[in-house]
Amino acid sequence: MNLWLAAVPAFLLTAAGTIFLVKRRKRSALKLLAALNLLLMGGALILLTGALAAGPAAAAGAGAALPPAPAQTPAGAGGSALIAAAIAVAGSSIGAAFAVAYTGSAALAAMSERPELFGRAMVVVGLAEGIAIYGLIIAIILIGRA
């Protein structure tokens, strides 16, 4: 059984207990939850530092021999490019969404008064959508160089 599926009942019980605790004791429950949150964050920080400090041989067994490592490219180069591509697509898509929302609502308001403005209004909305395409092109370039 998948570990994440086994954790779902524990998560639901914890969520129900938290809601019950907050409804019963507001001030003390918030202090307790803040302390538990700090404890969990401290544990996560300890796990993160342990994972970052571990060398490549830390995962090997006591007497296991590792095969020779092939020549590698820098470890972070491909991953950094993929993260940059994701940021480019996400940022440009969010920007295009805001631009289309504002220009689209203004275009509909203008067309409701003067229907002959349909062509010009759609050009403005299309230009706003071009922002997302620019982000997609940048992402393709970045992935191609990874």
Side-chain angles (χ1 to χ4, degrees):
M1 183 175 192
N2 194 352
L3 178 65
W4 298 110
L5 289 177
V8 170
F11 174 74
L12 292 176
L13 286 173
T14 304
T18 302
I19 292 170
F20 178 74
L21 185 64
V22 169
K23 284 185 178 183
R24 286 286 184 147
R25 299 183 177 111
K26 294 191 187 278
R27 288 262 187 219
S28 62
L30 291 177
K31 288 180 184 177
L32 176 66
L33 290 175
L36 286 173
N37 193 12
L38 286 174
L39 182 68
L40 285 174
M41 289 299 288
L45 185 62
I46 290 170
L47 284 175
L48 179 67
T49 55
L52 292 176
L66 293 176
Q72 296 179 350
T73 58
S80 298
L82 295 177
I83 291 173
I87 291 172
V89 170
S92 65
S93 297
I94 291 171
F98 280 120
V100 168
Y102 288 124
T103 58
S105 64
L108 284 176
M111 284 188 298
S112 67
E113 293 180 11
R114 293 180 48 196
E116 64 270 9
L117 291 177
F118 177 77
R120 283 187 248 168
M122 288 302 111
V123 168
V124 173
V125 173
L127 288 174
E129 188 60 38
I131 297 170
I133 295 171
Y134 294 144
L136 187 63
I137 291 170
I138 295 298
I140 291 170
I141 291 170
L142 287 171
I143 290 172
R145 291 188 180 190

